[in-house]
């Protein structure tokens, strides 16, 4: 039997489906192609911050991490926790760029 998880903060995608899509992103070579793939497989999904962090960890470079973090922001179910992404960036300038981006977004 299949155990159903009904957790509002889990977004609208099952753990199995999320992991399957994340695996597809991980199999892709090079950050630019991974970024393209991540946007493709998670398009139209509501993700939570922890899921977004898992996707961001797949990228090697801050530019790709930042690009995905900005892209995913609008469909994030728990935006108040977006500060948790800061730990994923190597450079303070990337953290600042994400912070500046968020401040410019409508509430």
């Amino acid at each position: 039997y299949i155990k159903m998880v009904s957790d509002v903060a889990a977004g609208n995608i099952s753990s199995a489906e999320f992991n399957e899509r994340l695996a597809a992103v991980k199999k892709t070579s090079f950050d630019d192609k991974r970024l393209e793939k991540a946007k493709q497989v998670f398009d139209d999904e509501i993700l939570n911050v922890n899921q977004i962090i898992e996707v961001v960890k797949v990228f090697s470079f801050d530019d790709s991490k930042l690009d995905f973090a900005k892209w995913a922001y609008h469909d994030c179910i728990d935006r108040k926790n977006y500060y948790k992404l800061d730990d994923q960036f190597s450079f303070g300038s990337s953290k600042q760029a994400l912070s500046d981006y968020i401040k410019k977004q409508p509430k």
Side-chain angles (χ1 to χ4, degrees):
Y1 92 113
I2 298 170
K3 182 180 177 192
M4 299 303 286
V5 179
S6 62
D7 178 7
V8 175
N12 70 342
I13 184 172
S14 72
S15 294
E17 197 175 350
F18 175 81
N19 290 330
E20 195 176 293
R21 292 181 189 193
L22 186 62
V25 175
K26 286 179 178 177
K27 280 191 281 191
T28 308
S29 301
F30 307 110
D31 259 23
D32 58 340
K33 295 295 180 199
R34 271 191 212 118
L35 183 60
E36 214 174 274
K37 186 69 156 183
K39 288 180 179 181
Q40 176 195 351
V41 300
F42 292 112
D43 196 25
D44 296 328
E45 297 297 347
I46 306 295
L47 301 176
N48 66 39
V49 166
N50 292 333
Q51 290 171 319
I52 294 167
I53 287 171
E54 288 307 306
V55 177
V56 165
K57 285 179 177 177
V58 172
F59 303 114
S60 304
F61 302 104
D62 271 19
D63 286 352
S64 301
K65 294 176 183 189
L66 183 60
D67 190 315
F68 187 82
K70 287 179 178 179
W71 178 85
Y73 181 76
H74 295 285
D75 292 323
C76 178
I77 198 162
D78 57 341
R79 290 185 197 160
K80 68 184 183 299
N81 294 323
Y82 233 68
Y83 69 90
K84 293 180 180 179
L85 273 107
D86 283 358
D87 291 342
Q88 303 309 312
F89 297 107
S90 304
F91 302 103
S93 57
S94 300
K95 295 174 191 177
Q96 190 60 52
L98 183 59
S99 178
D100 291 346
Y101 175 81
I102 292 169
K103 284 178 195 162
K104 291 177 188 161
Q105 302 313 302
K107 295 280 181 217

